[in-house]
Amino acid sequence: FDDAKFEAGLKSGQSMLVAVHAPWCSTCRAQAPVLKEVLSKKEFQNVTAYYVDFDSQKEILKKLGVRRQSTL
């Protein structure tokens, strides 16, 4: 997760997806291939995905108001 790029994307009105994941989370592991497939589709080419590590990026979680892993 790059906070500066995220903020620039917000200001520009860019389509974005933020995915909060944890390596130990079974839901996160199930979501990963689905997200990869969806984001590879032509209609989602302009969507920028940002991935936040639930265990190590606590400040970003706080900033975004996220309390649980596997949050999109």
Side-chain angles (χ1 to χ4, degrees), residues 17-49:
L17 167 76
V18 177
V20 179
H21 68 95
W24 46 265
C25 171
S26 60
T27 302
C28 300
R29 286 193 302 270
Q31 285 175 341
V34 176
L35 287 175
K36 184 177 180 178
E37 180 182 340
V38 169
L39 292 171
S40 71
K41 294 187 181 288
K42 182 179 142 185
E43 58 265 38
F44 295 105
Q45 284 180 338
N46 294 326
V47 175
T48 300

Side-chain angles (χ1 to χ4, degrees), residues 1-4 6-7 18 50-53 57 60 63-64:
F1 186 90
D2 184 313
D3 196 37
F6 178 76
E7 289 298 326
V18 177
Y50 294 91
Y51 297 92
V52 180
D53 185 286
Q57 296 182 300
I60 300 298
K63 175 182 177 178
L64 298 175

Side-chain angles (χ1 to χ4, degrees), residues 2-16 48 50:
D2 184 313
D3 196 37
K5 287 182 182 178
F6 178 76
E7 289 298 326
L10 283 177
K11 288 179 183 174
S12 72
Q14 177 182 25
S15 296
M16 298 185 292
T48 300
Y50 294 91

